[in-house]
Amino acid sequence: MTLSAELATEIARGETSGLRARLLPEPPQISLTPKRSDYDLNPDMRPDDQRKLTPAAVLLPIIAREEPAVLFTRRTPHLSRHGGEVSFPGGRVDEGDLTLVETALRETQEETGITAAFVNVAGFLDSYETGTGFAILPVVGLLSEGYELMPDANEVEEVFEVPLVFLLDPDNRERRSMEWQGRRREFYAFTYDRHYIWGATAGILVNFADRVTAA
């Protein structure tokens, strides 16, 4: 059995020790210093100046059931930033947020209707810098069944799932490129059914897969 299959089996049985052991156990402070970024595949595109990054957090929600899956949102097309793209629930830190975990859980409820009572935080991934100037903390959470989806129609066009084993299989990881601001940019991507996951969301998934399937 592969490591990804073993992990999925453990989650299906309600066991979390294997997952937790491969994640960062403590969240960093809100002032993040990213270790992963959009520039991992494009080091020559990194800005020369030390720009100020906006702190943010997302939830990587793993639905804990017989066949575990990861929950995603598709943003509404009219949004000025990343309209129509696939993302994790999350967003920038609000003034009232005391921790990045609070940010991820608050944004998840606002976007999908899923309350914090259904989320068991398992750990954290390396913080991620985006080309748009955000420093994102990915919070990995186990999502228990029984929640009711009530997506915010202004922000979320669709909520969907992708099997965990699919995302952990390196054969399903694509490396693509596109022209951006006159330069060739490389990025990770996943294609599942009619869903295309790319950019920072795919980069975070790669970090997740690398962590939890490392021998």
Side-chain angles (χ1 to χ4, degrees):
M1 183 182 292
T2 64
L3 285 173
S4 58
E6 287 180 11
L7 179 65
T9 300
E10 287 180 6
I11 293 173
R13 291 198 301 255
E15 300 174 7
T16 63
S17 57
L19 174 63
R20 292 177 187 275
R22 294 174 181 272
L23 300 174
L24 299 173
E26 298 294 334
Q29 299 298 314
I30 285 180
S31 180
L32 294 172
T33 303
K35 294 185 177 181
R36 302 292 290 259
S37 76
D38 285 345
Y39 306 111
D40 289 350
L41 300 180
N42 308 278
D44 59 318
M45 298 180 73
R46 181 178 290 279
D48 294 331
D49 57 327
Q50 199 69 18
R51 60 180 180 168
K52 181 176 176 59
L53 300 174
T54 302
V58 298
L59 182 69
L60 195 161
I62 303 172
I63 305 171
R65 61 183 179 214
E66 186 175 351
E67 294 184 2
V70 176
L71 190 100
F72 295 91
T73 64
R74 182 183 303 282
R75 295 166 64 82
T76 51
H78 72 269
L79 294 175
S80 59
R81 286 183 178 270
H82 308 291
E85 294 182 9
V86 172
S87 65
F88 295 116
R92 69 178 69 201
V93 173
D94 273 1
E95 185 176 345
D97 294 339
L98 299 180
T99 67
L100 291 161
V101 173
E102 187 175 334
T103 299
L105 296 178
R106 173 184 54 75
E107 287 280 346
T108 297
Q109 181 171 356
E110 290 176 2
E111 293 179 11
T112 69
I114 299 172
T115 66
F118 289 93
V119 182
N120 180 7
V121 174
F124 309 90
L125 300 176
D126 299 308
S127 53
Y128 190 99
E129 178 182 353
T130 70
T132 51
F134 286 88
I136 301 173
L137 175 68
V139 179
V140 180
L142 293 168
L143 187 59
S144 58
E145 293 189 281
Y147 57 84
E148 182 180 357
L149 287 174
M150 293 183 291
D152 178 352
N154 185 56
E155 291 190 47
V156 178
E157 182 179 45
E158 180 182 9
V159 180
F160 66 93
E161 305 170 9
V162 177
L164 177 63
V165 292
F166 177 90
L167 297 169
L168 296 182
D169 186 341
D171 289 340
N172 296 323
R173 180 189 305 180
E174 308 167 37
R175 186 162 168 169
R176 297 196 178 189
S177 65
M178 65 182 295
E179 196 78 18
W180 186 66
Q181 295 184 346
R183 303 172 71 179
R184 180 64 56 178
R185 173 191 170 190
E186 294 192 27
F187 55 91
Y188 290 112
F190 295 82
T191 303
Y192 178 77
D193 195 15
R194 60 183 176 82
H195 302 293
Y196 182 61
I197 305 166
W198 70 290
T201 303
I204 290 170
L205 285 170
V206 168
N207 181 215
F208 175 65
D210 287 348
R211 272 191 168 275
V212 301
T213 62

